[in-house]
Structure formats: structure tokens, C-alpha cells
């Protein structure tokens, strides 16, 4: 496993408050890496520092061989960062928005091919504001790919989406990884992390308290004697919802 991101003893203070308290971890090339933890744990702060969008207080960060302290510009060129939906001009259509991004990155891309990848080809001429929540999220993930990054950062990409839109996004994120891009994702949905992530780091109050594959974390918990209250039904309400409203990946 070759590390593509290496974080050493990262600390971040906002005034007197230490939001990140000396964390150390690596992300391997080609994996989907999850950063989990309750609100306020320090996940977004950590991501934004690696994305070069926020200053750190101390620590060392290497991204694909580039030191953040001396080569932030080189790091910017090889990463894709998801904008919050509010960052898009609502009145432009998808083709116009892609063109805008190509200008910003000083690159060219086949816009239809990109839209095809996120299943939005037939919405190319639709305005951003006319799309559903899931479509907006798929589009914003597409825009992270415009500069053909080695690594993309997704901060809670599925928050607020309905079950099918969430599954659509899982499919997309797996496809992006299959193309060779490393993915770092935060999520509050543990089923999502279990489904998508090779490894997860669990953060709490600015510290990493576990880092492992979901499978190993679950096995360790079971080995410690943990037992779930007995499951009495072999389906849950989400299964009902998906059965009633259509197949897993139905188009919105
Ligand atoms: P998470 O993404 O895990 O919810 P954040 O990284 O957003 O956590 O926040 C970690 C802590 O840092 C929280 O207590 C939050 O209130 C605080 N924090 C985040 N951004 C700022 C800021 N710009 N100024 C002051 N405190 C901040
Ligand atoms: Mg956050």
C-alpha cells in the first residue's frame, strides 16, 4: 500500500480552542478513505487543511510527494474539492458551468462525456437551480473531476439525500475510484462508510480514536464480547421504502 497522503501530528487551533489535537494518519493510493465522527470532531477542518484552504497550527502534511508547507500550489493542481451547492451560479446551465470551471483550471474537457459519467447528459442544458438535490450533488462531484485530479475530497456528499439518490452517489463514487482516483469522504451514515470505504478513521474531539477497515473494526467489537440486541425482523424500514418506491438506483 503506497501512501498518497501522509499527515503527521496535525494540530489546529481556532484562538484558544484546539479543534484538531495532533492527528497522524495515511491515505493509500486508490482507496476510498472515510473520515467519521460526530459533529465538531474536526473532520472538515482536517480536510480543508489538506486541501490547502485553511492554515494549520502545526504538523507535517505530504500529498503525493509534495510538502504542504513548500508546495501548496502543486498540491492544488492534483486534487479535486467539492464546492457546496451554494457556490454554483444558479442561472447557468450545466454546460456553461463546466465551461466556467475549465476556464478556472485552464483546462479542456469533453463536457458531455463528464455529464455522461454522472448520468446527467440529458440535463446538459438545464439550469443548476432546476435540478434535484441528488442531481446537484452528482454535478458538484463531476466538477471535482475537471482538472483530472489524483485525489478528490467529498465532505458529507450524501447528507440530506433520499435513499435512492444516496445509492446513486455510492455507485458514482465507486466508479471514480475504479478509474484510479483516491477518494476521501466524510459521512454520518455508517452503512455508507461500511459499503464504500476500504478504511475509516474515527475522530472524536479532535483526535483519531480508531483507524482500520470497517470489517476489522466490527470484528474487533464482536471479539470484545459486544452483542447487538436480537434482530427480530429480516428487513428494515429503508428496505420497505426502496421496495415501494422502485429499484435501488432509479433515476430521479
Ligand atoms: P466536523 O467537520 O467534524 O463537524 P469541524 O472541523 O467543522 O468539525 O469543527 C471542529 C471544531 O472547530 C468545532 O468545535 C467547530 O465549532 C470549530 N470550528 C470550526 N471552524 C471554526 C472557525 N472558523 N472558527 C472557530 N472555530 C471553528
Ligand atoms: Mg464538517
Amino acid at each position: 500500500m503506497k501512501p498518497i497522503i501522509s499527515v503527521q501530528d496535525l494540530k489546529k487551533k481556532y484562538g484558544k480552542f484546539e479543534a484538531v489535537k495532533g492527528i497522524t494518519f495515511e491515505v493509500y493510493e486508490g482507496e476510498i478513505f472515510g473520515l467519521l465522527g460526530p459533529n465538531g470532531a474536526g473532520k472538515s477542518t482536517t480536510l480543508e487543511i489538506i486541501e490547502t484552504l485553511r492554515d494549520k497550527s502545526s504538523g507535517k502534511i505530504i500529498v503525493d510527494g509534495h510538502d504542504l508547507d513548500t508546495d501548496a500550489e502543486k498540491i492544488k493542481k492534483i486534487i479535486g474539492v467539492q464546492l457546496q451547492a451554494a457556490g454554483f451560479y444558479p442561472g447557468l446551465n450545466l454546460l456553461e458551468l463546466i465551461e466556467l470551471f475549465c476556464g478556472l483550471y485552464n483546462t479542456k474537457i469533453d463536457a458531455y462525456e463528464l455529464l455522461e459519467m454522472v448520468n446527467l447528459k440529458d440535463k446538459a442544458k438545464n439550469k443548476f437551480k432546476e435540478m434535484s438535490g441528488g442531481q446537484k450533488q452528482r454535478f458538484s462531484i463531476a466538477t471535482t473531476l475537471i482538472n483530472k485530479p489524483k485525489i478528490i475530497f467529498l465532505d458529507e456528499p450524501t447528507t440530506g439525500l433520499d435513499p435512492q439518490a444516496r445509492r446513486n452517489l455510492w455507485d458514482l463514487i465507486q466508479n471514480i475510484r475504479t478509474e484510479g482516483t483516491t477518494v476521501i469522504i466524510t459521512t454520518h451514515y455508517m452503512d455508507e462508510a461500511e459499503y464504500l470505504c476500504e478504511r475509516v478513521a474515527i475522530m472524536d474531539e479532535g483526535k483519531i480514536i480508531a483507524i482500520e477497515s470497517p470489517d476489522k473494526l466490527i470484528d474487533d467489537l464482536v471479539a470484545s464480547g459486544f452483542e447487538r440486541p436480537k434482530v427480530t425482523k429480516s428487513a428494515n424500514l429503508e428496505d420497505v421504502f426502496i421496495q415501494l418506491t422502485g429499484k435501488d438506483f432509479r433515476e430521479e
Side-chain angles (χ1 to χ4, degrees):
M1 290 293 160
K2 188 179 156 227
I4 191 162
I5 296 176
S6 149
V7 173
Q8 275 284 331
D9 202 20
L10 173 67
K11 293 180 181 160
K12 173 65 182 179
K13 276 189 174 170
Y14 293 110
K16 282 188 180 152
F17 173 68
E18 196 170 40
V20 178
K21 302 190 174 82
I23 60 171
T24 296
F25 66 98
E26 287 179 331
V27 177
Y28 301 144
E29 195 166 45
E31 74 176 340
I32 301 178
F33 183 86
L35 205 49
L36 312 179
N39 285 325
K43 305 178 298 295
S44 296
T45 298
T46 301
L47 290 193
E48 286 163 14
I49 290 170
I50 303 171
E51 292 163 356
T52 78
L53 300 176
R54 201 178 272 288
D55 289 333
K56 58 184 164 58
S57 300
S58 65
K60 192 170 179 65
I61 295 176
I62 308 284
V63 181
D64 198 33
H66 306 298
D67 190 323
L68 182 81
D69 290 329
T70 52
D71 280 327
E73 289 306 314
K74 285 185 180 150
I75 293 176
K76 278 181 199 165
K77 289 211 170 79
I78 57 153
I79 64 171
V81 175
Q82 195 185 7
L83 274 186
Q84 298 304 305
F88 295 102
Y89 292 103
L92 295 185
N93 71 35
L94 303 191
L95 287 179
E96 290 164 340
L97 283 167
I98 291 173
E99 212 170 287
L100 190 68
F101 274 89
C102 284
L104 292 175
Y105 287 123
N106 195 19
T107 187
K108 283 201 172 111
I109 195 162
D110 184 333
Y112 280 101
E113 199 178 301
L114 183 69
L115 290 174
E116 170 103 82
M117 177 165 188
V118 296
N119 208 2
L120 289 172
K121 204 173 167 185
D122 51 341
K123 306 276 182 215
K125 301 272 172 67
N126 284 42
K127 289 183 176 144
F128 183 77
K129 65 180 176 197
E130 294 165 354
M131 296 196 298
S132 73
Q135 289 167 342
K136 283 179 178 159
Q137 279 295 7
R138 291 214 300 281
F139 181 73
S140 91
I141 291 177
T143 62
T144 70
L145 301 172
I146 287 176
N147 60 336
K148 304 189 177 65
K150 290 188 176 181
I151 309 164
I152 62 168
F153 295 83
L154 306 174
D155 198 351
E156 295 188 34
T158 62
T159 293
L161 297 186
D162 72 45
Q164 278 105 348
R166 219 152 65 85
R167 281 165 173 72
N168 265 322
L169 231 62
W170 297 356
D171 212 27
L172 171 61
I173 292 165
Q174 282 189 321
N175 287 341
I176 291 170
R177 189 266 305 275
T178 304
E179 299 282 316
T181 309
T182 304
V183 180
I184 304 183
I185 182 172
T186 73
T187 179
H188 289 301
Y189 301 109
M190 294 306 120
D191 60 334
E192 180 167 302
E194 196 178 335
Y195 181 82
L196 282 178
C197 298
E198 263 83 35
R199 293 187 310 134
V200 297
I202 300 179
M203 281 188 83
D204 194 20
E205 296 178 356
K207 293 186 188 136
I208 291 181
I209 51 177
I211 180 163
E212 254 308 342
S213 69
D215 216 38
K216 177 76 164 59
L217 288 171
I218 294 165
D219 287 349
D220 287 352
L221 180 65
V222 172
S224 77
F226 176 89
E227 225 179 300
R228 236 190 207 183
K230 279 278 170 281
V231 180
T232 51
K233 296 178 181 176
S234 54
N236 62 24
L237 189 57
E238 178 147 331
D239 298 322
V240 173
F241 180 95
I242 286 181
Q243 284 303 309
L244 288 176
T245 58
K247 64 182 166 56
D248 281 9
F249 294 103
R250 88 162 169 187
E251 193 33 51
E252 302 143 71

